[in-house]
Amino acid sequence: MRALARQIGPAAAWALVLLLGFEAALHCDAWLYRYRSVFAAGRAEDKMRHAARQQPDTLFVGNSRTDNGLSPAAFRAGADLPDRHVAFNLGLPGANTLVLRGVVERLLERGMKPPADVFIALDETLFQDEDSLGYYGFFALRDDLWQDGLHGALFGSWLRSWYYSGNLRQLREPDKLGRFIEATFHEIEPVGGSAERTAGYRQGRSGGFQTAEQLRAQEAGTRAPPDPRMTRHLFDLVERLTRAGSRVHLIAVPMFERASAFGPDAAAGPYADILPALEARGARWLEAPPGRPLQPGDFADPGHLNDSGARVFSTSLGQAFARTAPPRP
């Protein structure tokens, strides 16, 4: 028995050392960045790293509809902005307002100056408590997790090896496992290109980023009423940005054969009170009808624009911004 105990003792010690080392790696932003081609949280870190480095003048904030629907280059061209003007797309697929608030706060802590203009693309799914891509434990503010009663995610923000186990199960997919192994030995850009090269924009393509199950879940979210906690986080985000000196513009990215639940002309519904409350906090609605009617060929799927649609909408948004923006010094 003593001999067995002597053998188990060193083995347990080594196992504990390995576990602590793995846990420390998960707390390191470099680990997330290393696997940016594998996990959504890693691609979010890729965007955050380059947004802080590029110091954007204009920042687009939202979920996957922002990610695929707003081209910084087309916006800059539509607004006739100079090449030195930095526009950056901080759209995070699957993110809600809890995640977006945490991401923006962390960017400001990393030294990003408050952008002169921030565009928040309103979307019903931003207001749902959903974390299938594993953002909460990495990016949500711990105070928000505590107040929201999300104690599992709060615990996971400290013990990330437990929290991230759901994402690690994705490695059962051969494609992701292959990218994980490849990224372990050398750098791999995320699908669609690195944020450094694309200013955060990823061209939408049919069937490229979302499964049919994910699309169904997203559409189900559009019929659910807003979670009051997520509404509060958006209010806090807008107040934080306006206090910092940013002009906050509220927009809606076009969808195929479905109108947005937001905007002055939106039908009455559970989201009707959100826009007036945001405007009372200093944000403003910016209407940007596309320069030409969008066709089915401009959409990657019913909820997301492809590159041609994104360029049409982004150009129109730039033109609308140029008509209403105050003179720049």
Side-chain angles (χ1 to χ4, degrees):
M1 291 294 294
R2 290 180 180 177
L4 180 60
R6 285 195 297 270
Q7 292 176 356
I8 292 177
W14 276 111
L16 180 60
V17 168
L18 291 173
L19 179 60
L20 290 175
F22 182 64
E23 179 67 22
L26 290 178
H27 281 266
C28 178
D29 294 336
W31 188 90
L32 278 179
Y33 184 73
R34 182 76 181 184
Y35 293 101
R36 61 195 183 275
S37 64
V38 184
F39 303 116
R43 184 166 179 263
E45 171 60 28
D46 179 46
K47 287 199 174 194
M48 292 173 64
R49 178 170 296 204
H50 292 295
R53 184 176 298 168
Q54 294 181 18
Q55 297 290 344
D57 304 292
T58 297
L59 187 68
F60 303 112
V61 176
N63 58 17
S64 59
R65 288 177 175 138
T66 300
D67 187 34
N68 300 147
L70 286 162
S71 163
F75 170 83
R76 195 170 59 240
D80 195 24
L81 294 168
D83 291 341
R84 66 176 180 275
H85 183 99
V86 179
F88 193 90
N89 185 323
L90 195 64
L92 302 177
N96 56 19
T97 60
L98 169 63
V99 174
L100 296 178
R101 167 170 152 76
V103 165
V104 171
E105 194 65 45
R106 291 172 190 276
L107 279 172
L108 295 173
E109 291 174 357
R110 291 186 185 188
M112 184 187 77
K113 298 176 183 177
D117 294 281
V118 178
F119 290 80
I120 300 178
L122 297 181
D123 181 272
E124 298 95 319
T125 56
L126 287 178
F127 297 89
Q128 306 304 317
D129 173 21
E130 198 275 334
D131 189 35
S132 61
L133 295 181
Y135 289 131
Y136 284 8
F138 289 98
F139 305 121
L141 301 180
R142 289 191 174 110
D143 285 347
D144 287 343
L145 292 173
W146 174 258
Q147 292 175 18
D148 289 357
L150 300 170
H151 300 139
L154 177 61
F155 177 71
S157 71
W158 295 105
L159 188 63
R160 286 183 171 174
S161 55
W162 171 80
Y163 172 78
Y164 210 58
S165 60
N167 279 315
L168 292 175
R169 282 197 295 271
Q170 297 176 21
L171 298 181
R172 291 177 296 185
E173 302 173 20
D175 182 52
K176 282 204 169 184
L177 178 60
R179 288 204 303 272
F180 181 85
I181 294 172
E182 193 175 356
T184 301
F185 296 101
H186 59 84
E187 300 282 336
I188 304 178
E189 287 191 356
V191 175
S194 70
E196 181 179 26
R197 187 162 55 84
T198 66
Y201 167 63
R202 179 163 66 176
Q203 297 180 12
R205 54 188 176 85
S206 299
F209 309 118
Q210 288 188 306
T211 64
E213 182 180 353
Q214 289 170 325
L215 286 170
R216 283 194 296 271
Q218 187 174 61
E219 285 304 304
T222 66
R223 295 186 290 273
D227 186 318
R229 299 171 297 178
M230 302 302 145
T231 303
R232 187 183 76 249
H233 295 316
L234 183 58
F235 293 166
D236 291 343
L237 174 59
V238 168
E239 289 176 349
R240 175 72 171 93
L241 289 167
T242 54
R243 283 199 310 269
S246 297
R247 293 184 291 265
V248 179
H249 313 271
L250 307 172
I251 61 173
V253 178
M255 292 172 284
F256 183 64
E257 293 186 342
R258 186 166 78 79
S260 170
F262 303 93
D265 300 326
Y271 294 87
D273 296 334
I274 290 178
L275 180 58
L278 292 171
E279 290 177 330
R281 288 166 169 80
R284 65 163 190 159
W285 178 259
L286 181 59
E287 193 70 36
R292 62 168 175 78
L294 294 175
Q295 305 298 320
D298 292 316
F299 291 85
D301 57 56
H304 299 82
L305 295 168
N306 60 21
D307 186 51
S308 69
R311 291 184 181 279
V312 170
F313 173 65
S314 302
T315 300
S316 300
L317 181 64
Q319 292 168 345
F321 170 73
R323 289 193 297 268
T324 59
R328 292 180 178 272

